[in-house]
Amino acid sequence: MVSKVLLIDPLKCDGCKECEKVCILRHSGYRRIARKRIDVLGIEPVGNFFVPFACQQCADAPCMAVCPKQAITRDTNLARVVVDASLCVGCSMCVSACPSGLMAFDYEVGLAYKCDLCDGEPQCVRVCEKKAIAYVEPHKFQQQRAQKEAAKLCGVLRPNVYFPGTIVGNGKRNR
């Protein structure tokens, strides 16, 4: 199975928070509003800028490294880090170790929790009308990013500079 990652584009996010709502509903129902696994942070006075944040599923997950009961493990099929609630003892060391602050702790039940990518079908992606959140294969993300950067570079260099092998305005190959 090809692993995927959450790709977040803050320039598309309008701060509707539908991703938060569906996350709460999927994992907790509306009984536990505080237990969302995605968080939309925003700066309204500065041009209504919003950014959805979710667990980065770190390659060398500090939360996993500090767990004294090995309740946090890596699911290699989905490239995600998961919490086994049956093993969690509620020490919350994982919350302290999380570099992005996206591991959380439910004090009512005494358990840690985090984004689990909805078992491979993230509901936040499904409900995001603006397409600010996508679930993509990492190489596709890298390809999109490279294409954007190349387009910026070409915009800066044209029409005065051509790369060897490119076709110039008259249809001939530049040498």
Coordinates of all heavy atoms in Angstrom, one line a residue, residues 43 75 81 84 111 129 142 152 165:
I43 N -6.0 34.1 12.1 CA -5.6 35.5 12.5 C -6.6 36.4 11.7 O -6.3 36.8 10.6 CB -4.2 35.8 12.2 CG1 -3.2 34.8 12.8 CG2 -3.8 37.2 12.6 CD1 -1.8 34.9 12.3
D75 N 2.0 2.6 12.4 CA 1.2 1.7 11.5 C 1.9 2.0 10.1 O 1.7 3.0 9.5 CB -0.2 2.1 11.4 CG -1.1 1.4 10.4 OD1 -0.5 0.6 9.6 OD2 -2.3 1.7 10.3
V81 N 1.1 7.4 13.0 CA 1.4 7.1 14.4 C 0.1 7.0 15.1 O -0.7 7.9 15.1 CB 2.4 8.2 15.0 CG1 2.6 7.9 16.5 CG2 3.6 8.3 14.2
D84 N -2.7 3.4 21.2 CA -3.5 2.2 21.6 C -4.1 2.6 23.0 O -3.3 2.5 24.0 CB -2.7 1.0 21.7 CG -3.5 -0.3 22.1 OD1 -4.6 -0.1 22.6 OD2 -3.0 -1.4 21.8
L111 N -6.7 9.7 28.9 CA -6.0 9.1 27.7 C -5.5 10.2 26.7 O -6.1 11.2 26.5 CB -6.9 8.2 27.0 CG -7.5 7.0 27.7 CD1 -8.5 6.3 26.9 CD2 -6.4 6.0 28.1
E129 N -14.6 22.0 1.4 CA -15.1 22.5 0.1 C -14.1 23.3 -0.6 O -14.1 23.3 -1.9 CB -16.4 23.3 0.3 CG -17.6 22.5 0.7 CD -18.9 23.3 0.8 OE1 -18.9 24.5 0.4 OE2 -19.8 22.8 1.4
Q142 N 5.6 16.5 -3.7 CA 6.9 17.0 -4.1 C 6.9 17.5 -5.5 O 7.5 18.5 -5.9 CB 7.9 16.0 -3.8 CG 8.1 15.7 -2.4 CD 8.8 14.4 -2.1 OE1 8.9 13.5 -3.0 NE2 9.3 14.2 -0.9
K152 N 7.8 29.8 -11.0 CA 8.2 31.1 -10.4 C 9.5 31.5 -11.1 O 9.7 32.6 -11.5 CB 8.4 31.0 -8.9 CG 7.1 31.0 -8.1 CD 7.5 30.9 -6.7 CE 6.3 30.5 -5.8 NZ 6.7 30.4 -4.4
G165 N 18.6 24.0 -24.4 CA 17.7 23.0 -24.8 C 16.3 23.4 -24.8 O 15.4 22.7 -25.2

